[in-house]
Amino acid sequence: MDDNLKRIVSEVTRLCRERGEKVDPFVVAYVASLEDGCGSLETVVPGLHLDGKIPAEAVALIGKHVAGILSHGNDPRLKTAIMQVLMEAAYKQQRELIEKETAEQHERAGMLQRAVTGPRALKGNSAEAYDKFYKLVLEAVCVEAGMELAVQDPAANAEVRAALESVFPVSAVARFLTLSEEERLAQLSELARITTGICLYNRSLGQGGSALPAAASSYLPQAQRLLRDLNRCRTEVTEQMSKLLEMVAKLPPAVATDNDAPVAAGSGSEEELRRALLHAEVLNRGQALQLYESLFADLQEGLEAAQQLDAELEHTLVQVHDSVGQSAAVSKDMVYPLFDRLGALHTGLHQELRMLVVRQRLYDELAELSALPPGSMLLTSQPPGRTTGSRSSSTQTASSSTAAAVDALSEQLNETTLAGLDALQGGELEYIRPISHTQLQPGLALAGFCAGTLARRPTGRYPLLRRANPQLGYLAYQDKVYGFATNADMQAFLADPAGCLTALEAAIKKEPLLARPLGLPPPKPSSDVHAVLQAMSGTLKVDFGCQTPVHFVERYIDKNYEWNVWALRRRALALANLRGKATHSTQTAESHFKRENETQVWRPREATVQTKVAKGQSMPRKLQYVQGLRGAADVKMNVVRLELDLGQPHQH
């Protein structure tokens, strides 16, 4: 399935890029899986299964179908799918980020612990070796306690070292090295907790604590503000959902039909399109409400845990103050357990505070995804209940008053329902009386939505999400507790609970988007958002070409156009002055230095092959001649000596 889904996503991405639209691969994959879950892809390609091999022609048809769905950016169903998959992707991203940070911290702490507890931890027996080992212990304690600032900041390092020396002085290193590896590791963790407790005590006295993370007093107000924002968003979405349900109630009764297929955009009557749009918007608001409530419950639970840890930490600090007091010396058996408890509480509180930051990021993501689309019925000025035709406004007013009367009567149980509840004795159903008439009981099945409304479909062929009414009470069936919106819904569930759940499964099969807000599994495993994110975790390749236009648009623009008349006059004078100049070929020293040297190159050297030359060497030839042996009487004899140095190697 993973390979087929990636091929479909690649095709859809290519088509959307050619249209100039930017799409998210997760959204494309999830929309394709939803279309497969409701059986819409089988109408495009008969006999299609994502688990089998899909030919290229079928991938092209499916890509065109999914790209057409993505082109309607303001469709409430598409907005709901985007909200579901991108929120799950945000949860996954934050979870992976926390796991990565935790793994990096554990890896660094483990590396330092192995360096401290290893067999060759101390290198040498000198004072420098002991001091170096003690610094290694200090770094391991800082990383284990989450005080990484003390590793880099000299002031924080000095503070943590002073706290560590009060528990583990340098003189105790020799005895520490005699312990086994397991004992050293246990004592190192205990040292980290006790040192953290001492730093917390010093911060409570106003004498340090710079190495510790921010206190809970700086995070808890932010968490409470986030809780108020989430509660406000819950209220707003609930009011929007109530308005949409009022619009649905004002619609004329739906015509009975056997066709449960969803109405496509541009097909069907105007009334049917409006009905489908309203139901899709109710589903969108229901999904937003479920996400807000889930995040609200998670934040409330984390805030209560953080407040409990903070209260216990403050109580332990009071015990430490009472134990120490003004004493110059205190027994370590009395205060060390308290410091150890302080360190453990601080570690747990720090983890909760990290989760508060993550929830803030998730809230920002959800606030952006749950915004109303531009074409929402809640933003239009014209009431959606107004229809064209022969119906008059008096008929609509009567229908609206009738719906209001029905809603008022549905808030209380009638005699038939009460008789059915009284008859429940030892069966599978059990009636649970409401504890509060304003808030739903926590832990309800279907995330607090009415099972009877989804099963009965009182407003037509589209399943409708409605919140349960806490005034009616609840019914327990097969280890689950269900709430109901109206008396008729509870009565239908009392009559046939198994049939209602079967009809609910059929509704989810027709509209797979219902599975997420109801907390139920999708109709097909391929429609699960977790499976889609897992399938899209690898690298995605898209074939996309860059094409040039056939005919380029010619631009008749004169780059040298000058509009200033005086600039033109200056140019004309310069040209006229240039005509009176003469060019001489005389080259001066100044013009020589102004030449363009980069345009001058050396001529390539002629490539010649040199071979070995055999040469000999001879001694110089010495010659002697006698001059003046003949001639007149006054001619004197003279001896001429010559030395001929011929045939030497340097002469060749």
Side-chain angles (χ1 to χ4, degrees), residues 341-361:
R341 181 60 180 165
L342 279 177
L345 290 173
H346 178 267
T347 302
L349 182 60
H350 183 59
Q351 295 296 329
E352 288 294 335
L353 297 180
R354 285 178 61 191
M355 292 303 300
L356 291 178
V357 178
V358 172
R359 295 183 184 107
Q360 177 68 47
R361 297 171 184 168

Side-chain angles (χ1 to χ4, degrees), residues 91-386:
Y91 274 105
K92 182 181 178 182
Q93 181 182 4
Q94 296 299 326
R95 183 169 57 251
E96 290 177 352
L97 182 61
I98 292 179
E99 291 176 355
K100 181 181 179 181
E101 293 178 355
T102 306
E104 290 177 354
Q105 183 181 5
H106 288 173
E107 182 181 0
R108 186 180 178 188
M111 181 182 63
L112 292 172
Q113 289 172 0
R114 288 189 298 270
V116 171
T117 60
R120 305 182 66 179
L122 183 64
K123 299 179 181 179
N125 199 20
S126 61
E128 293 80 5
Y130 276 88
D131 186 66
K132 185 176 181 180
F133 178 78
Y134 194 83
K135 290 181 179 179
L136 192 62
V137 173
L138 176 62
E139 186 177 358
V141 167
C142 293
V143 174
E144 177 75 19
M147 297 185 291
E148 288 85 356
L149 181 62
V151 181
Q152 302 174 355
D153 189 14
N157 186 275
E159 178 188 346
V160 177
R161 176 159 186 157
L164 180 62
E165 286 180 349
S166 64
V167 184
F168 181 69
V170 182
S171 58
V173 172
R175 188 179 60 83
F176 179 77
L177 292 172
T178 60
L179 301 176
S180 63
E181 185 176 350
E182 291 77 11
E183 292 174 341
R184 276 190 269 179
L185 186 61
Q187 285 202 7
L188 195 63
S189 301
E190 185 178 0
L191 280 175
R193 294 192 298 270
I194 294 176
T195 305
T196 305
I198 295 174
C199 292
L200 286 169
Y201 174 71
N202 292 336
R203 186 171 67 179
S204 66
L205 296 176
Q207 298 178 359
S210 59
L212 293 169
S217 58
S218 62
Y219 280 94
L220 293 180
Q222 180 183 359
Q224 292 172 354
R225 183 169 59 253
L226 177 60
L227 197 68
R228 291 193 297 269
D229 292 341
L230 284 171
N231 192 22
R232 174 182 53 81
C233 291
R234 288 171 55 203
T235 305
E236 291 179 358
V237 174
T238 303
E239 293 176 355
Q240 293 170 357
M241 197 170 181
S242 301
K243 293 180 181 179
L244 289 172
L245 290 174
E246 292 177 1
M247 296 178 186
V248 173
K250 292 178 182 179
L251 290 174
V255 180
T257 177
D258 297 334
N259 184 18
D260 288 341
V263 177
S267 62
S269 62
E270 182 182 354
E271 177 183 315
E272 195 66 22
L273 290 175
R274 185 179 296 110
R275 187 185 304 275
L277 182 60
L278 281 173
H279 282 75
E281 288 203 26
V282 171
L283 175 58
N284 180 269
R285 295 296 89 192
Q287 178 62 75
L289 180 60
Q290 185 267 334
L291 289 173
Y292 276 120
E293 288 187 342
S294 175
L295 191 56
F296 179 84
D298 188 23
L299 177 61
Q300 192 173 24
E301 182 181 356
L303 184 58
E304 291 176 356
Q307 290 174 343
Q308 183 178 359
L309 289 173
D310 185 56
E312 189 174 354
L313 189 144
E314 294 295 334
H315 177 68
T316 309
L317 277 175
V318 172
Q319 291 181 347
V320 174
H321 282 284
D322 295 340
S323 301
V324 175
Q326 301 296 330
S327 303
V330 185
S331 173
K332 64 179 182 180
D333 296 334
M334 181 185 301
V335 294
Y336 278 8
L338 296 177
F339 286 142
D340 187 281
R341 181 60 180 165
L342 279 177
L345 290 173
H346 178 267
T347 302
L349 182 60
H350 183 59
Q351 295 296 329
E352 288 294 335
L353 297 180
R354 285 178 61 191
M355 292 303 300
L356 291 178
V357 178
V358 172
R359 295 183 184 107
Q360 177 68 47
R361 297 171 184 168
L362 293 175
Y363 166 73
D364 296 337
E365 184 75 17
L366 180 57
E368 182 179 356
L369 293 175
S370 62
L372 289 174
S376 173
M377 289 288 189
L378 295 171
L379 301 178
T380 55
S381 58
Q382 182 180 359
R386 183 178 302 172

Side-chain angles (χ1 to χ4, degrees), residues 406-414 417-418 421 431-441 444 448 467-475 482-487 490:
V406 170
D407 291 340
L409 291 175
S410 64
E411 294 181 357
Q412 55 185 355
L413 299 177
N414 58 14
T417 307
L418 291 175
L421 294 176
Y431 179 69
I432 300 176
R433 296 186 178 275
I435 301 176
S436 173
H437 291 279
T438 57
Q439 294 183 355
L440 290 174
Q441 176 180 329
L444 291 179
R467 296 293 286 174
N469 187 357
Q471 299 180 4
L472 301 179
Y474 312 97
L475 288 177
Y482 297 90
F484 303 94
T486 62
N487 177 46
M490 180 177 284

Side-chain angles (χ1 to χ4, degrees), residues 3-79:
D3 184 49
N4 292 330
L5 198 59
K6 286 185 177 181
R7 292 170 60 197
I8 294 173
V9 171
S10 300
E11 179 66 18
V12 175
T13 305
R14 184 186 65 81
L15 293 175
C16 292
R17 283 185 180 181
E18 290 179 355
R19 293 200 303 247
E21 300 175 358
K22 184 178 180 181
V23 292
D24 192 289
F26 291 147
V27 175
V28 177
Y30 189 52
V31 170
S33 64
L34 290 174
E35 291 296 305
D36 178 61
C38 65
S40 297
L41 294 186
E42 294 185 2
T43 60
V44 178
V45 181
L48 174 70
H49 297 284
L50 289 181
D51 297 333
K53 185 175 180 57
I54 302 179
E57 296 79 5
V59 172
L61 293 175
I62 296 172
K64 186 177 180 181
H65 174 72
V66 176
I69 296 175
L70 295 175
S71 62
H72 301 86
N74 295 329
D75 186 12
R77 293 185 70 255
L78 180 59
K79 290 292 185 181

Side-chain angles (χ1 to χ4, degrees), residues 597-611:
N597 290 329
E598 62 271 11
T599 60
Q600 299 179 4
V601 297
W602 293 96
R603 297 187 60 184
R605 184 178 179 181
E606 295 182 359
T608 57
V609 180
Q610 296 182 357
T611 58

